[in-house]
Amino acid sequence: MEIVIQKSAEEAARIGARIVARQIQRKPNTVLGLATGSTPLGLYRELIRLHREEGLDFSKVRTFNLDEYIGLSFDHPMSYHHFMWENLFRHLNIAKKNVHIPDGLAKDVPAFCERYEKDMKKAGGIDIQVLGIGSDGHIGFNEPTSSFSSRTRIKTLDGQTRKDNARFFKSITEVPHHCITMGIGTILESRTCLLFAFGKGKAEAIRESVEGPMAAMCPASVLQWHRDTRVLLDEAAASKLKKRAYYRSVYAGKPAWQQY
Ligand code: GLP
């Protein structure tokens, strides 16, 4: 794991965007795994800027989103479909056929999930997976105790996650109870993971994920096992890490060819 601590979320988002942009320049038909929530918004804004001002080309990029609420249609304002088109896709030159987001209205959910996994494989696997983290350590919607080898499937949301996400809905009663999410096993197959976390509210989840034992009670801790995970934090999210000084010195001492 590489831990990158920046003064602000904006700076961390800019580093993340540079990593994604370099990957797209190297491989124009890069496969991106994408996340929703407030955390990746800065990254998405920066990618949009790079597209508009520096011509970053998304015409061949393929994307697979982590998750979607069950029961919300594509155009529901709280659906992750809507979120992704509003906050990212409609601002880029991405082809609609290259965008994949789980279908919250799928009639046969297991069949849909199997197809989603097959489509990811057919695309050659995910090059960079963008991740946020829930306050309980979840990634995608893989709640605590999710299997480390799980694949895309239906999950029941934890009460805490429904409470956390209620801020986007009119009331908590509107927050769906179920979702489709890539599994932890699916996420582990991506070549690179970029985990972003900002703010004090994420400090404990980050401490457990980075320096705690690898345990299903904290799903993001599985990233300790992943061969190329970069954790991009602001000061507040990093505030409970014991080895903060070490992570800073590693980052400061990176040779020029390794810098972002
Ligand atoms: C949701 C998403 C996760 C996201 C998490 C944190 O539960 N399924 O992918 O990481 O929220 O959200 P936020 O970034 O708004 O704190």
Side-chain angles (χ1 to χ4, degrees), residues 35-40 66-67 69 80 131-134 138-141 161 165 167-168 202:
T36 51
S38 46
T39 306
L66 280 168
D67 45 16
Y69 291 112
Y80 285 168
L131 296 167
I133 186 169
H138 73 245
I139 44 177
F141 267 136
T161 301
N165 291 1
R167 66 187 194 279
F168 299 112
K202 299 292 171 72

Side-chain angles (χ1 to χ4, degrees), residues 52-116:
R52 284 192 180 146
E53 293 174 17
E54 296 181 26
L56 184 63
D57 181 15
F58 285 80
S59 61
K60 296 195 174 70
V61 170
R62 282 114 9 115
T63 66
F64 287 86
N65 258 76
L66 280 168
D67 45 16
E68 177 61 287
Y69 291 112
I70 285 194
L72 302 193
S73 61
F74 292 3
D75 53 357
H76 188 289
M78 293 307 132
S79 74
Y80 285 168
H81 270 84
H82 185 77
F83 176 98
M84 289 307 300
W85 281 99
E86 275 308 299
N87 292 297
L88 184 64
F89 299 140
R90 77 183 180 89
H91 307 281
L92 306 175
N93 65 334
I94 197 159
K96 204 168 176 201
K97 66 172 175 40
N98 289 342
V99 169
H100 305 82
I101 306 176
D103 179 2
L105 295 183
K107 290 226 164 60
D108 184 343
V109 173
F112 176 83
C113 293
E114 217 179 298
R115 212 167 50 242
Y116 203 65

Side-chain angles (χ1 to χ4, degrees), residues 121-147:
K121 268 216 179 85
K122 228 165 60 197
I126 289 175
D127 292 302
I128 295 186
Q129 176 66 58
V130 173
L131 296 167
I133 186 169
S135 60
D136 61 2
H138 73 245
I139 44 177
F141 267 136
N142 294 284
E143 296 287 19
T145 73
S146 289
S147 159

